[in-house]
Amino acid sequence: YREKAKYLRRSDGTTKGACRMQALNALKSRLLDLAIRGKLVPQIDGENEVEQIGKAPKENPFEIPKKWKWVRLDDIAPYGKCERIEACSFDRDTWLLNLEDIEKDTGRLLQKNKIIKNQGAKYLFNKGDVLYSRLRPYLNKVLVADEDGVCTTEIIPLKPKENTLSGSYLSFFLKSQYFVQYAVSQSYGVKMPRVGTATDKNALVALPPLDEQKRIVEKLESLFAKIDTIQKSIDEVSQLGASLEKQLLQSSISGKLVPQLDEELEVEQIGDAPEEVPFEIPEKWKWVRLESLGTLFSGKTPKADELTSSGNIPYFKISDMNSSENQKYMRHTEHYLKTTPKKIFKAGSIIFPKNGGAVFTNKRRFLVRDSIVDLNTGGFYPNKNYLDESYAFLLLSSIDFREISKGTALPTIDSSKLKSYLVPLPPLGEQRRIVEKFEKLMLEIQKLK
């Protein structure tokens, strides 16, 4: 699974933390697969062989131990025989389970709601029932009820046959990739696929002796608890990395990352000095408006007939920021201009989303070549007399666009506020030292993410 994490990181550019999470989820899936094949815990000689319930299938999905049997789901947990209860019969303190209350894949209960008002007919379930979502089976939502309640009719309560089937074992079996793939392959409907009653009734379940079921459940719960602890630790470390990155960025633009040198000249004031400043900076630094340090611009989307698959002038859409293989540079695109446009953005420009939900992300990218960008994208070309390119990137990354945006349905950066936005300006030499130190420390922080 370490190798799987390495492969994931190489192939799709996700963070190491995300890759580790994917690898741990894959490990859980593998453990489930071993469990339902009889390979997770040893079989014990003294345990009786399972009696065949119902007619034995002619073909089995995969090999299982000799003491196990393949049985139909409906024969060990009657399917579709749950009690339907009308709205007028609800007790207002009854637990009401909806699909969105169950976390996909894990079966973790996200929230437990009580009935507030009549909401139509529901299925009644009891403590110990296995609650299986037949809607969009690929979401893999399965839960063992810890108390009585009612649920949406898209959730089927299954009552395990006493002295034959453990509800927890059945829950694990239904969450296995074998069963999920079976349910998905047999579902119908395009927008809201669901599994039919007859399909689920006839589904084959690998049934071990009851004592072995309990040992399988105990082993899985123990291993899953350890994996969950690791997942939680990874998440905490990743959050720590993000917090350290934010603190490092703030230190970089406030003069606290590297020492000021006596031989470096004080920065000249560009434009009027502001009466109030966001925070304290070193004496040699100055607060200036962003528009005084470079050129701000907005993109323009070309017509389809102006584009080609190759050329000298790349065209980047805002979505290309997601697919760039490096989080800092825009290099490759599938679209180019047929002819050189009048309005072009120079290599070294820093681009960013200027409207929509992407405004609230911290996406900033360098244009490696002279390019054009779409109308959803804004940019800044730094004046190299005042700004080192990489320090300019830090400055743009430090601006929280939420503070200077307008609109709620389609948030948009207020261009006048962006132009007048105050930024701290160090001497050029110090800018370069800041960038060097920042990038060195970021390499260490990235190991946490």
Side-chain angles (χ1 to χ4, degrees), residues 35 94 422:
T94 300
L422 286 171

Side-chain angles (χ1 to χ4, degrees), residues 351-412:
I351 62 172
F352 47 82
K354 71 172 189 178
N355 57 41
V359 166
F360 300 150
T361 67
N362 197 36
K363 292 176 183 174
R364 313 288 188 269
R365 301 288 188 272
F366 269 124
L367 292 178
V368 176
R369 301 164 58 181
D370 290 352
S371 311
I372 67 165
V373 296
D374 70 11
L375 56 78
N376 296 308
T377 307
F380 175 74
Y381 182 71
N383 184 327
K384 295 180 182 178
N385 292 320
Y386 306 128
L387 283 176
D388 173 82
E389 279 187 0
S390 294
Y391 181 77
F393 190 89
L394 295 185
L395 278 184
L396 266 293
S397 299
S398 71
I399 299 175
D400 186 349
F401 287 153
R402 290 174 293 188
E403 297 177 356
I404 55 172
S405 295
K406 54 187 178 182
T408 52
L410 185 68
T412 303

Side-chain angles (χ1 to χ4, degrees), residues 297 310-316 329-333 335-351 365-374 380-382 384 389:
F297 59 83
S310 61
N312 295 321
I313 308 298
Y315 163 57
F316 292 103
Y329 300 102
M330 300 292 287
R331 299 182 187 277
H332 305 296
T333 180
H335 307 286
Y336 295 82
L337 271 290
K338 290 181 180 178
T339 58
T340 302
K342 293 181 181 179
K343 187 178 182 181
I344 196 168
F345 307 120
K346 295 180 182 179
S349 295
I350 302 159
I351 62 172
R365 301 288 188 272
F366 269 124
L367 292 178
V368 176
R369 301 164 58 181
D370 290 352
S371 311
I372 67 165
V373 296
D374 70 11
F380 175 74
Y381 182 71
K384 295 180 182 178
E389 279 187 0

Side-chain angles (χ1 to χ4, degrees), residues 240-260:
L240 173 62
S243 176
L244 289 174
E245 183 177 346
K246 187 175 181 180
Q247 292 177 37
L248 178 60
L249 184 60
Q250 183 60 33
S251 296
S252 299
I253 65 166
S254 58
K256 298 177 181 178
L257 192 64
V258 298
Q260 283 73 52

Side-chain angles (χ1 to χ4, degrees), residues 173-297:
F173 189 91
L174 296 178
K175 285 187 284 189
S176 69
Q177 278 303 297
Y178 155 72
F179 193 84
V180 172
Q181 289 169 6
Y182 164 80
V184 169
S185 68
Q186 299 297 316
S187 60
Y188 63 92
V190 179
K191 291 185 178 180
M192 300 288 279
R194 53 175 49 81
V195 188
T197 300
T199 298
D200 269 345
K201 279 186 174 183
N202 290 315
L204 288 171
V205 177
L207 185 66
L210 188 58
D211 286 341
E212 187 173 349
Q213 292 178 41
K214 294 175 181 176
R215 290 187 287 112
I216 289 172
V217 168
E218 184 179 347
K219 185 71 171 181
L220 284 174
E221 288 178 344
S222 172
L223 292 172
F224 279 21
K226 293 176 181 177
I227 293 172
D228 288 342
T229 299
I230 295 171
Q231 287 179 320
K232 184 179 178 181
S233 299
I234 290 173
D235 186 54
E236 289 173 350
V237 170
S238 182
Q239 289 177 15
L240 173 62
S243 176
L244 289 174
E245 183 177 346
K246 187 175 181 180
Q247 292 177 37
L248 178 60
L249 184 60
Q250 183 60 33
S251 296
S252 299
I253 65 166
S254 58
K256 298 177 181 178
L257 192 64
V258 298
Q260 283 73 52
L261 302 180
D262 293 338
E263 60 268 25
E264 285 178 343
L265 299 176
E266 183 177 345
V267 173
E268 292 185 11
Q269 182 66 52
I270 304 170
D272 296 332
E275 294 182 5
E276 295 184 6
V277 297
F279 50 82
E280 187 178 345
I281 54 175
E283 292 183 6
K284 291 184 178 181
W285 293 34
K286 291 292 185 290
W287 282 103
V288 296
R289 307 288 176 185
L290 184 62
E291 65 176 345
S292 301
L293 298 178
T295 304
L296 286 160
F297 59 83

Side-chain angles (χ1 to χ4, degrees), residues 57 76 158 310 322 358 372 398 414 431 449:
I76 55 171
L158 300 170
S310 61
N322 299 326
I372 67 165
S398 71
D414 187 323
Q431 290 179 36
K449 297 176 69 178

